[in-house]
Amino acid sequence: MAEQSLTVTGTIEATGGGGHAVRLPVDVKTIFGRARPPVRVVADGRLAFPTTVASYGGVGWIGLRKDQLAELGLVAGDQVTLVITEDLARRKR
């Protein structure tokens, strides 16, 4: 199975309860084969982290923690570019 990758630029949205996320403007299941795949994310080319795509109402999201936003110097409403790569090692577990 070939590793799939996706690059998106999106707006950081406050999700309530102090959470923040970026809406993915694509059908995640079509690209990665499932709605909630484990992925590796690189945000703005400088912060890398593993996560799982969240899916709410058929929409994919990448969540960002407060410490990640602080490291990037970003807040809700800012644009961020995410390079999202399927994490095949975690998928096989």
Side-chain angles (χ1 to χ4, degrees):
M1 180 185 310
E3 186 175 76
Q4 298 296 318
S5 184
L6 167 69
T7 300
V8 299
T9 298
T11 302
I12 298 169
E13 298 182 35
T15 59
H20 294 82
V22 177
R23 179 188 310 250
L24 302 179
V26 297
D27 180 2
V28 173
K29 190 171 183 177
T30 299
I31 295 169
F32 296 113
R34 61 196 244 194
R36 299 187 60 209
V39 293
R40 291 183 315 274
V41 177
V42 178
D44 278 350
R46 53 198 169 105
L47 176 66
F49 58 95
T51 192
T52 299
V53 174
S55 181
Y56 298 101
V59 177
W61 297 83
I62 294 293
L64 294 165
R65 298 186 318 261
K66 289 179 186 178
D67 64 306
Q68 292 169 324
L69 291 173
E71 186 172 335
L72 291 165
L74 299 172
V75 297
D78 288 343
Q79 295 282 303
V80 64
T81 298
L82 305 175
V83 178
I84 305 162
T85 306
E86 186 174 25
D87 193 338
L88 294 177
R90 285 181 49 221
R91 185 173 184 151
K92 291 178 183 178
R93 291 183 192 171

